[in-house]
Amino acid sequence: MFSIFLLNLQIFSMSKCEQCIIKQFNSLKSLTKDELIRISGCKTTMIIKKGTVIFDEGETINGVYCVKDGICKLSKLSENGKDQIVRIVVKGDLLGQRSLVTDESSNLQATALNDMEVCFIPKSEIMNDLQNNSKFSFDVLKDMAHDLKEADDIIVNMAQKSVRQRLAETLVYINDSFGVNPDGTLSVLLSREDFANIVGTATESAIRILSQFKKEKLISTKGKHIKIESLTGLKQVE
Amino acid sequence: MFSIFLLNLQIFSMSKCEQCIIKQFNSLKSLTKDELIRISGCKTTMIIKKGTVIFDEGETINGVYCVKDGICKLSKLSENGKDQIVRIVVKGDLLGQRSLVTDESSNLQATALNDMEVCFIPKSEIMNDLQNNSKFSFDVLKDMAHDLKEADDIIVNMAQKSVRQRLAETLVYINDSFGVNPDGTLSVLLSREDFANIVGTATESAIRILSQFKKEKLISTKGKHIKIESLTGLKQVE
DNA sequence: TTTAAAATATGATATATGTCATGTTTTCTA
DNA sequence: TAGAAAACATGACATATATCATATTTTAAA
């Protein structure tokens, strides 16, 4: 597994964490300059191709990924064979934070949704900072609290809202959180199957409802690119 | 609101955190003796009657509750008027940890499921420890990571499993996590409506499926007390 | 104890969504 | 560029679950 990484995906980069703008967006901003310099020395920058599994359910991660570019999904295989997406991680986020806190293996699979550039920081190097730099650990704590809140919201939506509503909200969420391309299409490009796996429905149902939204002029599509035509309309879907 | 607490619910107790066995079960165990003595001096012990709302959605909590006895539910009101239960907090747990980390108001409501005894520790008193005692903050981090993992699992179950399966799993979960009374009935006593609100279904559906389980000899009931007759059977429900 | 209210129970029916089947379009690759 | 494979699309039908209606039982209150 690791050898594949070495062959195909890994590029050792000379770029320095201390100067990296990305860290602004996550907990790493709370590290001191000295800490960043040390981290910089042991990190591994890698390019990950679209579709690649970054880590799998049950795998021990032993570090954290700082996402410099691209987007990935965190999903979990359910017994019926479907892959439920529980979170989307984008440029600027840290991926695999949970592994710093627990020695358990990952409960989720991470898969690149487009080509990504990430820096892997070994757990051994960053654990000291988590222990000694309280500003940093408090930031990680905040992050996790935020994720937990979002997860609670998702539970409520899953339980109480229709597939139609959940799909509408997913479109709004992606629009609001990750923005749009110059042509107005959603910048996060997902397959119909991905949408189904976020919403928790059959792929056919997701396709069908997207078609309905199109007829109702709430969205327009070219290929798999989706453009929101009426944000307010989507928000009112019942 | 607070005056009601003072009149009906609050009892100032002389018991000391340093000697309290409950702390063994949560992050407070990582506080030093000195820290515990200080906490002990500013905590407020209260008795909370069954059905009382401990804190509501949108309320600012400003502290954390250590549950000495009893059980409560954390729920969130959805737009359709249903109250989705996202977590159950029992004796030994800390309630409202998220409030320590963020200044946002609570996204959840906490309601006592039976008579409870809790100690309220003001945020102002414990924040220092969260900043300075890294063992303590790491414990809180672990707790939150654990909750996050459980939340992810719930999302997958909500999305991919039938109501029947979810209800069976809820029974198993309550059995495994919170145990049974001497007569074998589940020690956490929930109304059919509570079950429906955990599973995310209509109350009638929850009742109906529990009746089916009864017919299938998976459980037995007297009044609202439920006894699991076949744990393996419940685990195999499809 | 009697009465009222809440919780539990069950039937009948409606409906959203899943499943299966089939066809079309887009994307990939040799 | 052709051919294969994957993704998208839509119809027909099955089914789990919601909703509404109405008993019955349990709990609370007067």
Side-chain angles (χ1 to χ4, degrees), chain A residues 76 84 104 149 153 160, chain B residues 76 104 149 153 160:
Chain A
K76 186 172 165 158
Q84 181 64 36
E104 295 167 25
K149 183 180 179 176
D153 288 343
Q160 309 285 359
Chain B
K76 186 173 167 162
E104 293 168 28
K149 183 180 179 176
D153 287 343
Q160 309 285 359

Side-chain angles (χ1 to χ4, degrees), chain A residues 140-151:
Chain A
V140 174
L141 209 44
K142 267 190 184 157
D143 250 39
M144 215 154 308
H146 175 259
D147 284 351
L148 189 56
K149 183 180 179 176
E150 283 209 334

Side-chain angles (χ1 to χ4, degrees), chain A residues 162-163 201 205 208:
Chain A
S162 67
V163 170
T201 189
S205 296
R208 217 181 296 269

Side-chain angles (χ1 to χ4, degrees), chain A residues 88 90 150 170-180 187-188:
Chain A
I88 289 180
V90 298
E150 283 209 334
T170 300
L171 291 169
V172 172
Y173 169 76
I174 290 174
N175 178 73
D176 292 353
S177 306
F178 313 128
V180 296
S187 65
V188 174

